[in-house]
Amino acid sequence: MIIDIAVNEKYDALLDDFVYYICKHFGIIPRKISIETADLVGNRGMCFDDDDGEFTILVKPNDDMGQTFATVAHEMIHVKQYMTQNLGQILDESTALPYDSRWWEDEAFNGAVPLVESFATKIKLSS
């Protein structure tokens, strides 16, 4: 698995560890995950299923490390959904579904902070 992160030099290495942690947690092995900043309007992050197990995650530039990690966790849940729940096909077929009725967003919103908390606990215990 290749992880390419260009978000914030101060914590890119920790984000790299976090992405590995999430992949292990979900039992997924994407071929490549690229995470970079982008000036997004209306979103804190976006996830794209590029091709054959390769994903790009865009995050809005943010100096708040907790918010950045929560956004990456949210988007990594979408990576898991693409890989294990056929999210790509579901998105193609569900374009008219209202945003607040999308189960994949509920799962990502509800699962992001617990992933950050469990990773933080793991780091605390190992130091």
Side-chain angles (χ1 to χ4, degrees):
M1 174 171 42
I2 298 168
I3 299 174
D4 182 20
I5 298 177
V7 173
N8 184 318
E9 279 185 17
K10 292 185 283 189
Y11 44 84
D12 280 356
L14 191 57
L15 273 172
D16 188 87
D17 292 344
F18 184 49
V19 170
Y20 273 110
Y21 173 81
I22 293 171
C23 289
K24 184 176 180 183
H25 176 82
F26 288 130
I28 58 173
I29 305 172
R31 182 184 310 162
K32 182 177 183 184
I33 297 176
S34 299
I35 303 175
E36 56 195 65
T37 58
D39 290 325
L40 303 173
V41 176
N43 296 21
R44 289 189 206 141
M46 297 181 80
C47 177
F48 299 95
D49 178 10
D50 295 330
D51 187 34
D52 266 350
E54 296 186 8
F55 300 89
T56 297
I57 293 174
L58 303 177
V59 294
K60 194 172 199 169
N62 189 335
D63 288 333
D64 181 337
M65 185 168 78
Q67 183 61 60
T68 299
F69 274 71
T71 300
V72 168
H74 177 106
E75 301 307 331
M76 283 299 298
I77 291 170
H78 290 319
V79 169
K80 185 266 302 182
Q81 293 165 340
Y82 276 111
M83 295 186 74
T84 65
Q85 296 166 287
N86 208 15
L87 183 59
Q89 181 179 349
I90 292 167
L91 289 174
D92 290 343
E93 296 170 356
S94 303
T95 56
L97 192 61
Y99 190 82
D100 59 354
S101 298
R102 298 175 180 176
W103 63 263
W104 55 91
E105 290 298 342
D106 285 341
E107 181 182 353
F109 278 112
N110 292 326
V113 171
L115 278 171
V116 176
E117 290 172 343
S118 65
F119 180 69
T121 299
K122 177 185 176 285
I123 289 172
K124 189 182 287 186
L125 292 174
S126 66
S127 54

